[in-house]
Each structure stands twice: as C-alpha cells, then as structure tokens.
Amino acid sequence: MLFPTGHRGAATPAPVVPSTGRLQPLGLDQVRITGGPWARRQEVNAAATLAHIEHWLEREGWLGNFDLAAAGGPAAGRRGREFSDSEVYKLLEAMAWELGRRPDADLEHRFGAMVRRVAAAQEPDGYLGTRFGRPGQEPRYTDLEWGHELYCQGHLYQAAAARARTGRPGDLLVEVARRSADHVCATFGPDGNQGICGHAEVEVGLAELGRALGEPRYLAQAALFLDRRGHGVLADIEFGRSYYQDDVPVRDAEVFHGHAVRANYLAAGAVDVAVETGDEKLLDAVAGQWARTQARRTYLTGGQGSHHQDEAFGDDWVLPPDRAYSETCASVGSVMVSWRLLLARGGAQYADAIERALTNVVATSPAHDGRSFFYANTLHQRVPAEHVATDEVSKRAEASLRAPWFEVACCPPNVARTFASVAAYVATVDDGGVQLHQYAPAEIRATLPSGEQVALDVVTGYPDDGRVEVHVVDAPSGDWTLTLRVPSWSPSARVRVDDGSDRVVGPGFVEVPGPRSGAVVTLDLDAAPRFVVPDPHIDAVRGCVAVQRGPQVLCLESVDLDEGDGVDDVVVDASVPPWEVDGTVYVRAGILGASDGGWPYAATDDAAPRPRPELRDVPLVAYHDWANRGPATMRVWLPAL
Amino acid sequence: MLFPTGHRGAATPAPVVPSTGRLQPLGLDQVRITGGPWARRQEVNAAATLAHIEHWLEREGWLGNFDLAAAGGPAAGRRGREFSDSEVYKLLEAMAWELGRRPDADLEHRFGAMVRRVAAAQEPDGYLGTRFGRPGQEPRYTDLEWGHELYCQGHLYQAAAARARTGRPGDLLVEVARRSADHVCATFGPDGNQGICGHAEVEVGLAELGRALGEPRYLAQAALFLDRRGHGVLADIEFGRSYYQDDVPVRDAEVFHGHAVRANYLAAGAVDVAVETGDEKLLDAVAGQWARTQARRTYLTGGQGSHHQDEAFGDDWVLPPDRAYSETCASVGSVMVSWRLLLARGGAQYADAIERALTNVVATSPAHDGRSFFYANTLHQRVPAEHVATDEVSKRAEASLRAPWFEVACCPPNVARTFASVAAYVATVDDGGVQLHQYAPAEIRATLPSGEQVALDVVTGYPDDGRVEVHVVDAPSGDWTLTLRVPSWSPSARVRVDDGSDRVVGPGFVEVPGPRSGAVVTLDLDAAPRFVVPDPHIDAVRGCVAVQRGPQVLCLESVDLDEGDGVDDVVVDASVPPWEVDGTVYVRAGILGASDGGWPYAATDDAAPRPRPELRDVPLVAYHDWANRGPATMRVWLPAL
C-alpha cells in the first residue's frame, strides 16, 4: 500500500515523516531545545558552521561548478570530486532546518541565492548534476558504480523535503527537486534504465520527497531501486560488491556490511519503503540487521566501520580502537536508521543508540568553534596529531587533528544538517500521549493525534547531571501517558511525580499515567561514572575497561599526563571505581615501564613479571571534547592492571 | 670509498655479494639443500611455480606488452598495471637462480626466449619499459610517484646480477640491464633529472648490478637516489609522503614506516650503499631502525604491515592479528634487509629474523602445489574463505584462500625468486671459518677467504626435530671455527662434538673450535612446543597466548574443531602447556558461549561471569600449512581462560 489517503503529518517540519508507524515525530515547531550542550551546538552551528561550509564550497569551486554547468559550455574548470554537488545540497538542507528553527533574513537571502545558482544548472528534462553529460564530460549515468549522480540528487530531495516542510512548499528548491525526481522516475522506472547508484541515498531522498509532496511515484521508484540492489547490478570491484551492498538483497542480508555510510543510508531507505508499503518482512529484516550490527559491529561510542581501506564494517567483532574508522557520516546514517526504526516499531534500544551516536560520534566531529571537523573518529590515538593548518584542505580523512575541510567533505555538512534538526529526535507522540527519548532543556508544544494539545517544559543539567524534571505546563483533558526513556547506561532510575508517586525502575520505557497540568515529573538517572567491559569476543580490547558517565564515553588524553608519559603506557587499577570531583572524573592509574626494545614475544616461562607501577589519580575527559587542547594522544579503552 | 680494487667474490652465485663486511656469502654452487621442507619447496618451485607464473604472464598479456613495445606502434593493447614489467623480471631472476642451482635445458630455452622478447623492447638509448614513452602514452618519467619505471628497471638489474653470477656474464639479459642502467645514470645523474622513484628498488638493483659487473657508477647512482629521498621530492599524496619514505631522509629515520615493501627495499639499498661507501653512520641508522621495527612493528610470524589501506606499517604497537596485512613481499623485503645486515655486521638476531619470516610468511604464501598464493597473510581469519576459482585473477589481495594470480601480482614471482635462491641464506664464511645460520639437510662445500676448503654435511629433521648434526667431511688444515646459531626460540641448547666436548649454551652464536675432518658436531635445540605471550604494549593480543614449536608459529584452524564451533569462540587453558603426540601439537581449550546478542559493553557490576567452558584437547597446525584443507577460519593468538 503506497501512501494511503489521509497520511498524517506530511507537513510536519521534521526530517522523517512516515505515513504510518508506532510513533509519530514532532516537528521543529513543536520541540525547541532551550539550553544545555545541544543548544550550544545548535548556536555554534548557526553562528559559525553554516557560513564556514558555504565559504569552503565557494572557495573550492563546488558552488561555482553549478555556474559553469549553467553556462552550458565545456566542462573544463569543474572542480572537486564526483559527489561535490551533494555537499551543496546538504548545506541547503542544514540551512532549511535552521530557518525552520529560527527565521533569519540574512540566512534566507544566502539560501535563496544558492538555490538560484543550483536551479540554473538544471537541464530542461530535470537532470541535475555538474559532473556528467556536458561537452567534455562522460554521458550521464555511464558510471553508476562511482559517479554518484543519483546519490547527489537524493541529497537534493532531502533538502527539498526540509524546505517544503518548513513552510515553503512552492519554493524554487522544491520545484527543482520535483523536476529532478520526475526525471529520475522517467529514466530509471520499471521500463527504463535498470541500474542503481553505487552509493545508496536516492532511495531515502525519494521516499522523503514523496512523503513531503504526497507523490507516490517517488516512493515507488525508491522501492524499485531497493529491489534491484543485491543482484550484482553493479560491476564487481576491488572491494567486492559488498562494498555497495550489491552482493545480497537488503531483505536477505543478516547484518550491515560493506561501506558503513552506504549501508546505513540503504537501511534507512529500506525502512521507509517497508513502512510505506506495509512490508513487515522487510522491516523485520532491517530490524534484525540493526540488532546484529549493534551487538557485533559497533564501537562503544556508537561508531561504525573499522576498515580504513574501504570505509567499511569489519567482520563481526573486528573493532580495533586504534584502527577505528568510525566515520562521522556513518553515525549520521546510523541515527537515520535508528530513528526510522523507533518511529516504526517503538523500542527504547533505538533511542539509546541515537543518544550514543549523537553524543559520542556526531558531537565529537566538530571542534568547539564549529570550524574544523573529524572525518574519522578513532578511539585510540597513538601519535600526537600533526598540525592541520586552518586554511588547508586535508587530503587525509584520518587526520588526527580536526581539519577545516577535506577533499571528500561529506562530514561537515552532514553534521550541520543533523545539528540543525536535532530537536526532532527529542520526543514523539502516539494515541496515548507523549514519549521523551532524548533529554535536554526543552519546550515541547505538541498536538496529539486526537487533536489535544500538550505543553511540557524539560528542566535538566543533563548529561552531566542525571536529574530530569518534566514540568507539565498543559496536560490533555482526558487520560494520557507520559513515557520516559530510562537509558540502558542507567542501571536503575527513580521516577517521582509531585502527587506522591515514587518508583524505582530499570532501563527501557517507563510510563507515567496522565500527570495533570502543573505537575512535575522527576526522573533521577544514575549518571555516576562507571567502568564498562567488552564482550570477550571483541579481541582488540580484551583486558581493558572504559569509563562512561551517563551517555558520555570518557577518554584519557595525554595532555592530562605528566610530560613524557604516553597513553600507550597507561594501566588502570580496575578495582578502584572511577570517581568524580567537581565535575571531573578520575581513575587510579600507573605508567608501565618501557619495553626492553627486543623481540616483543616471549615464552611464558621467560616473561618476567613487570613491577606494579606506582599509582596516581588521573583525570579523564569526555571523548567528544578531546583534541580541543592541541596535539595529544588519547585512548578510550584502558588496560586493566 | 666505492668498490675498492680487489673486491671479493663478485662472481659468487648469490643474490647479495658485498665487497666488504663482517661475513661473506656463499653461492648456490657452495651450498645445496638436500632434503627437508626447503628442498620440497624448491622442487615445487621448479616443477610447478615457475611455469605457473610464466603461464599467467603470458595469459594476462604482461609478456605480450614487450612485443607490443618492440613493434613500436601506438600503445593501445598494453595490459596490466604500470609495474607489470617487474613481474617478468622477477620471474627471470627466479629462473636464473634455478638454472644456477641445477641446469635444465628446457628452462634455459624458455629463459632465453623471454629475454629476447624483453630485449626487443629496449629503446636505442637503453630505456626499458612498456608503460611510458610510446605513441599514446605519457612521456617517460612524468609520473615518478606512481609510474614505477625505475622500480621495474631495478628488478631487471637484480635478475641480470643473478644471471651474471650464475655463469653468464655476457648474456643478453646482462647486456640489456647494463644499457638500461647506463641510461638511468645518464638521465638521473648528478646534473640530470633530480627525481626518485615512488617505489624504492632501483637502489638495491643498481648496487647489485654494480657489484656483479664491477661498475662503480651504478653504486654511485644508487647512493644519489638514496640521498635525494626524504626531502619531499615526490608529490604529497593521500597517504602522505611517508608512504614512499620521502618524508624523512633514510639516515635520519627512527623506524621503518610507510608502505612496508617500499620501506624494506629502501633499507636494503641503504645497507648496500652504506657498506660499499664505508658509511658506518648510515649503517647504524638502518640497524637502529631495523631493531625498533622488530621490537614494535612486527608480527609474531615476522610479518610486517598492519594497514590494508596503504599496505603500510602502523604506528608502534599497532599489530591487530585480524587486520594483519603482512604482505608476502614485505617479508621478502625484510629478509633482504636482515641478510644484508647479517653480512655487514654479524649478529644472530638477523638470522633469527630471516628464519622467522621465511618459515612463517614467505613459506605460507604458496599452497602446497605451488600454484596459488597468499598476498596478505592474516593471523586471524574470522570468516571462512570464499572459493577462489583456480583460473581467475583475484582482485582482492586479502583473499582468504590463496589465489592463482592477482591484478597486482608482485608476490608469486617474489616467492619464486626467494625459494630458488634460499640456499644462499644457509651459511657464510669469514677469516675464521664457517657460520651456519639456517638449518636444513645440506651439503656445504665452501672456500674460506684463506683459500682453504671446508666440506660439511648437515643432517637434520629440522624444524620438527631440534637435533642438527654437522658432519665435517673436510676440515681446513689449520685452526678454524664452526659457528652455529642457537635460535632465540630455543631457551638453551646442547652442543656436543664426538671428541667428547659437551656444553649447554644459550641463544646466539656458539663457536665450536676447529673440528677435525670426520668429526660430527651435534646441536640439540629445544624445539618443544611452548606458549608465547606478547609485550603488554601490543593491545590487540592482550590476554592471549600463541604456540610456537621451534621456528614454526602454530595456529588453530576451524577444520580441527567440532562442526559448528568457530575459532572466535575458543579459549585455552594457559596453565596446561601445549604438548605433542605423534607430531601433532595440542592445547587444552574450550568453546565460549555465544554472545547474548545485545549491546556488547556492560558495566562491570552488570557483567555476568561466564561459566567456565568444558575443556578438550584441540590440535594445532603450522601456520604455514593453513588453508590447505579448504575454506576455514583460523587464529594464531588464543585467548587465555
């Protein structure tokens, strides 16, 4: 069943608005983050990051590529990689969400000017792309493996959906996207080109544009792309067809595999198609893959992908911290998948995963000033970062200091669009009431499916503080339920309502029956720092502990050690739990003696026991804060004495 | 000082013949391996591998490229990668050594025919290469970063040195190489092109050809290339200039770094230059880098390189077994470096390293039939290999089953040339006598620098058996010393001479003063299987043990477990030492319960202790024998209970 009439909420200003599902999203007009780290990140994003990205797109000529294409002449002078158009579209999406969050005349003006440059490059038949089809370029769609033409147009659709839903349904960007999508449907339809794109994205883009514009053809085309993939449609390549998930149909796969960004984007599109077509088997398949991927192929930070070579998932349990690729965009993609599964099925594990990835990967990427970024997010930096100049493009994705821009610059605008729309992940509604998934100081002004209004104010010092107060400003008139997530990192929690109810609950969703207007619901989570240990199958961190405080993974940075001591020599006394003083978490740790410099493998009877090192109190920092104090080494997993 | 007059042994049929140094090599005419695993490998190499490689070079058109170039027409039709010429030269080198080891009319005929095809492609000015400079190709030396033109010609020189030293100093191949080397000296000399090759090799090739032909200009050119590198001569690339060691001059580096094959080839050339010019500081530098690389960047197998992306060394201590790249060619290169250092300085650690890399990496590459090869040599295979058809080129270097051929096919001919010349690594001589470095049934008929003859027969069941008998067939007339290496894996050894002397000694070189003709010297090494443990800085194998028996690293292969059990679930009881029954080594091991399928990181207080698994006797196999019984999973490092 494609788009049943009367589908709900198509105009909700949120990135994902399914026509059906267990939970309904709220738009940026219904949830506003008013303080705390996420509000600060949104401010920096608006004040610095958007303009920073625009500057680099201009400087590197990726915006100019549209002007060249519009001029219609030969392709000489086009700059950047084959997918550079997509960075423009992701910036447009970020701007659209930011404008939806808070009007800004200057930003609106820059947005409009950029859209006009994009629109001028669109071909009469709707095709949009600066890399193929002009004089001096290969013809369109002649390199589906690596050309990224459909990928780029998919990002255009997500941007247009954002624009349509933030109050501009007839906007030029929306019309450009509509013409492009019509062209794609005409070209790749049931009787057309039977190809797919080497990088999934057009599926999720078509689905969302179809939802936003009420156009079932777009969703049908997304379903068609999805069904084609996995049958060896694309060429075999050095990394194998698994790289772009063309080795096995998405409904038959057991786990996310291949290129981690591609895998997550594909899975997100598969959930969209499954939800809209009522395909429960497909939804089961993706949910099963998600669970296995979380259990066996995900870092403690929520990061995914341990292969640098092909930016890919490793086999089960291959999670070396010092070779973590954990691309920022893979975690943006994992949030896309988890959020869609949460809307489709409910399930606190999805909200847990979103919190983990947002807090520890997506928020780790940008520097505090929002003007440089990690592309890869290692969990163990063994060599102090080289200096990355603030005005140079980084060739190396795994630069150990954040870089202002990359030859492959997917991550900065992906962070920007996620931050600008992050309020959308805070809460949902269903027939019974409101569900709070992520905690931040916030104002929630939601309309329930019944039409009744709910107004909640969230007051909290989260995540440093585990207390969350929900002030019920306006309750619905009848029975309703306030559902709160107790994160999996909190072994237990206490829920009190000021009418006297008081319970201790475990992780998962806890339901608070119909608090009245004026009531205050207090959730006390256990955010004390604690050691975590890995499943023994994760060979690379055997014998280590990590420290987590609430949702935040902590790490040890060499700037907090004595001069000359390195994180590679640290061992911790795991019998002394981590403790907190004035907001800083400490562990008891020592420095191992240096290696003797000989062959590093010894027969057990020859291996001299090492003297127990002298122990001291060593401070940790939040992983998302690391590398903001200059070049340093760092590790998340700490060897236990 | 370049090539002092009267340099010794230039015509010795061995791969490396320095004009000076602590020890002197023996040629293939002086050492013959008569039995045991190395004799079997040489037989398979001669009977199967050489023809196998020749077949694939023909089939893939890499030999045909020379015919095309000789025809002088446009370049259309050239096949293979930019370095495909080098595989032809490495095969020629392997054939030359094989012909030096044992004359064979058919092989001689094939060799000559191939050389004529190569020679026909040489340009009048001596340039030789099929990839550049013809109509339709880029001009010569316009892509020093990736073009591999000097690299290819370097392999030509090593092949020619082999030919010159095995009795054909005026052979066509030798003259072709001489003309090419003259061209290189004219083009890249002090006043010429100031470039270097992106892949070191021409240095070691020029040095050896210079030694073989008594031509100091070639060595001077090698020294020039060496001095130029490290100053940013080549372009910065995605992997950084460290990839091709152009980031720091070789005499200033602290450790081998970047691409592992390039690093080793460069170091080998640096030793050659240092020895011939008497540059002790350069020799110290390389020896220091070698030691640090062995201590911090080498796998238990002797394999090197943990980065798949750039085939490179990782940072210190980055040695994940499941992401070991450990390219076969990197170990061939490491043998080249260790051997040169052994000749220059003596030192049993160099012979230890040669034995380790030959036994556990180079010998692991080919299948028992010599017709398929590992390119990368992982220490932990988590997923059973895909089937690799016997008649398909493998795109994927890390194919988990051996493949008959690769798009980048450097490893098969590198194995072939090493096997054909492996007898050269068995023994050396010096003014005092004979040094035995590697043990195999062998006949040694050496001439000492004094001119006296020594004849030794080695009788042994090594490496399965630790007893080595050296039968002194003919002793020199005066005082002399027989030096035996006690490998570092043998905690102690007993040396007896049948005149009654009997000593217990530790690892290193042990000297046996002047045994008479007819004497038998018996060395009893402790080849019992034993657990080895890693330096605690090697995070990836913390808490694991491996089993070594003599020089052989052992591994657990899933075909030796019960149906359904996987190596990822195995734990061993490290309190029970490994034991041997009828030639098979066993450990006490159990199978861990499966993971519960949830988030794999738990707070320490939540982590339920796992029940101790039931233990059983599990057999191990030699790592170099693995993957000869069909698709399997495998691991070298075994988690301790």
Side-chain angles (χ1 to χ4, degrees), chain B residues 446-635:
Chain B
T447 304
L448 297 183
S450 63
E452 293 231 54
Q453 307 292 313
V454 185
L456 307 172
D457 285 353
V458 181
V459 179
T460 182
Y462 196 90
D464 290 338
D465 183 1
R467 171 161 297 184
V468 179
E469 289 179 7
V470 183
H471 295 251
V472 182
V473 179
D474 272 311
S477 55
D479 285 348
W480 75 293
T481 303
L482 173 65
T483 301
L484 303 173
R485 178 178 65 102
V486 176
S488 59
W489 50 256
S490 184
S492 68
R494 186 172 172 197
V495 186
R496 286 172 294 152
V497 188
D498 55 2
D499 63 6
S501 106
D502 192 338
R503 298 184 274 165
V504 172
V505 296
F509 283 136
V510 53
E511 298 188 345
V512 181
R516 70 190 186 287
S517 294
V520 177
V521 181
T522 302
L523 174 68
D524 278 306
L525 301 167
D526 182 356
R530 45 173 50 86
F531 283 130
V532 292
V533 292
D535 184 293
H537 289 88
I538 307 176
D539 294 286
V541 290
R542 177 174 289 108
C544 291
V545 295
V547 181
Q548 197 167 340
R549 180 172 57 161
Q552 299 177 96
V553 172
L554 308 187
C555 66
L556 172 59
E557 214 178 345
S558 59
V559 287
D560 291 319
L561 293 175
D562 291 346
E563 181 82 27
D565 286 345
V567 300
D568 275 0
D569 295 326
V570 163
V571 287
V572 298
D573 183 348
S575 71
V576 180
W579 70 95
E580 186 166 344
V581 179
D582 294 338
T584 300
V585 175
Y586 293 83
V587 290
R588 250 343 242 174
I591 298 293
L592 264 189
S595 168
D596 69 3
W599 182 241
Y601 309 97
T604 40
D605 25 333
D606 298 344
R610 288 179 180 261
R612 189 182 165 88
E614 197 184 325
L615 297 179
R616 64 189 87 164
D617 300 349
V618 173
L620 305 180
V621 296
Y623 174 70
H624 61 74
D625 275 335
W626 96 275
N628 275 293
R629 295 179 290 169
T633 61
M634 177 278 297
R635 69 187 301 165

Side-chain angles (χ1 to χ4, degrees), chain A residues 566-623:
Chain A
V567 300
D568 275 1
D569 295 326
V570 163
V571 288
V572 298
D573 182 348
S575 70
V576 180
W579 71 97
E580 188 166 344
V581 178
D582 295 337
T584 300
V585 175
Y586 293 84
V587 290
R588 238 3 230 168
I591 299 292
L592 263 189
S595 169
D596 68 4
W599 182 241
Y601 309 98
T604 40
D605 24 334
D606 298 344
R610 285 177 182 264
R612 188 181 166 91
E614 196 185 327
L615 298 179
R616 64 190 88 165
D617 300 349
V618 173
L620 306 180
V621 296
Y623 174 69

Side-chain angles (χ1 to χ4, degrees), chain A residues 141-511:
Chain A
Y141 305 124
T142 49
D143 183 10
L144 289 172
E145 284 77 11
W146 297 107
H148 286 77
E149 290 164 279
L150 291 166
Y151 165 85
C152 287
Q153 293 179 87
H155 275 298
L156 172 70
Y157 308 156
Q158 288 189 299
R163 190 64 173 166
R165 287 181 179 144
T166 48
R168 282 82 164 182
D171 188 86
L172 178 59
L173 181 67
V174 178
E175 293 315 305
V176 166
R178 189 194 297 274
R179 287 199 295 272
S180 161
D182 288 344
H183 147 78
V184 165
C185 291
T187 307
F188 288 91
D191 304 322
N193 183 329
Q194 297 297 297
I196 57 173
C197 186
H199 196 314
E201 161 65 25
V202 72
E203 301 81 0
V204 79
L206 281 168
E208 213 56 46
L209 188 66
R211 286 165 167 166
L213 304 184
E215 180 49 83
R217 285 184 300 122
Y218 299 166
L219 188 94
Q221 184 63 46
L224 209 51
F225 279 134
L226 205 80
D227 284 342
R228 282 179 194 157
R229 188 181 298 268
H231 300 283
V233 173
L234 300 171
D236 197 6
I237 51 171
E238 182 188 351
F239 307 136
R241 288 196 177 93
S242 66
Y243 174 77
Y244 30 48
Q245 296 81 40
D246 192 28
D247 55 335
V248 56
V250 63
R251 60 182 71 242
D252 299 333
E254 292 194 355
V255 64
F256 295 168
H257 61 283
H259 188 269
V261 182
R262 283 168 167 80
N264 275 296
Y265 284 15
L266 178 67
V271 175
D272 288 339
V273 167
V275 165
E276 298 301 332
T277 58
D279 188 339
E280 288 296 322
K281 282 180 69 176
L282 177 56
L283 199 52
D284 285 344
V286 178
Q289 294 161 27
W290 180 94
R292 189 173 169 123
T293 302
Q294 289 284 324
R296 299 182 171 211
R297 298 189 171 191
T298 304
Y299 285 100
L300 178 64
T301 53
Q304 296 181 337
S306 59
H307 286 201
H308 285 238
Q309 185 180 29
D310 48 355
E311 303 185 312
F313 285 101
D315 292 328
D316 285 353
W317 313 120
V318 179
L319 295 163
D322 52 4
R323 293 297 288 163
Y325 198 67
S326 183
E327 185 180 336
T328 304
C329 290
S331 281
V332 169
S334 81
V335 170
M336 288 166 53
V337 180
S338 299
W339 178 243
R340 282 161 174 79
L341 288 169
L342 177 61
L343 293 179
R345 296 236 152 141
Q349 74 274 25
Y350 301 122
D352 285 341
I354 289 169
E355 172 168 61
R356 192 180 294 131
L358 284 178
T359 303
N360 299 301
V361 184
V362 185
T364 303
S365 174
H368 289 162
D369 71 359
R371 291 191 172 92
S372 63
F373 304 85
F374 280 129
Y375 183 114
N377 296 276
T378 187
L379 277 75
H380 185 171
Q381 181 72 37
R382 292 177 181 270
V383 177
E386 295 165 46
H387 171 70
V388 176
T390 53
D391 63 346
E392 274 176 28
V393 176
S394 173
K395 287 198 172 72
R396 287 172 275 286
E398 57 266 54
S400 43
L401 268 189
R402 296 174 179 90
W405 201 246
F406 305 89
E407 287 193 352
V408 176
C410 42
C411 297
N414 230 346
V415 169
R417 67 176 182 147
T418 305
F419 280 11
S421 59
V422 75
Y425 303 113
V426 166
T428 55
V429 294
D430 67 2
D431 291 339
V434 176
Q435 301 81 40
L436 275 185
H437 302 293
Q438 307 300 334
Y439 298 114
E443 293 174 1
I444 298 171
R445 303 291 180 265
T447 304
L448 298 184
S450 62
E452 292 232 55
Q453 306 292 314
V454 185
L456 308 172
D457 285 353
V458 180
V459 179
T460 181
Y462 195 91
D464 290 338
D465 183 2
R467 172 162 297 185
V468 178
E469 289 179 7
V470 182
H471 296 251
V472 181
V473 179
D474 273 311
S477 57
D479 285 349
W480 75 294
T481 303
L482 173 65
T483 300
L484 302 174
R485 178 177 66 101
V486 176
S488 58
W489 51 256
S490 184
S492 69
R494 185 172 173 197
V495 186
R496 286 171 294 153
V497 189
D498 54 2
D499 63 5
S501 107
D502 192 337
R503 297 184 274 164
V504 172
V505 295
F509 284 137
V510 53
E511 299 189 344

Side-chain angles (χ1 to χ4, degrees), chain B residues 100-113:
Chain B
R101 193 173 77 87
R102 187 172 55 184
D104 178 318
D106 174 63
L107 186 63
E108 182 71 42
H109 175 79
R110 285 154 50 204
F111 178 89

Side-chain angles (χ1 to χ4, degrees), chain B residues 118-138:
Chain B
V118 166
Q122 189 165 34
E123 302 287 338
D125 68 350
Y127 177 84
L128 188 50
T130 68
R131 173 64 184 77
F132 289 84
R134 294 164 55 215
Q137 293 177 326
E138 301 89 326

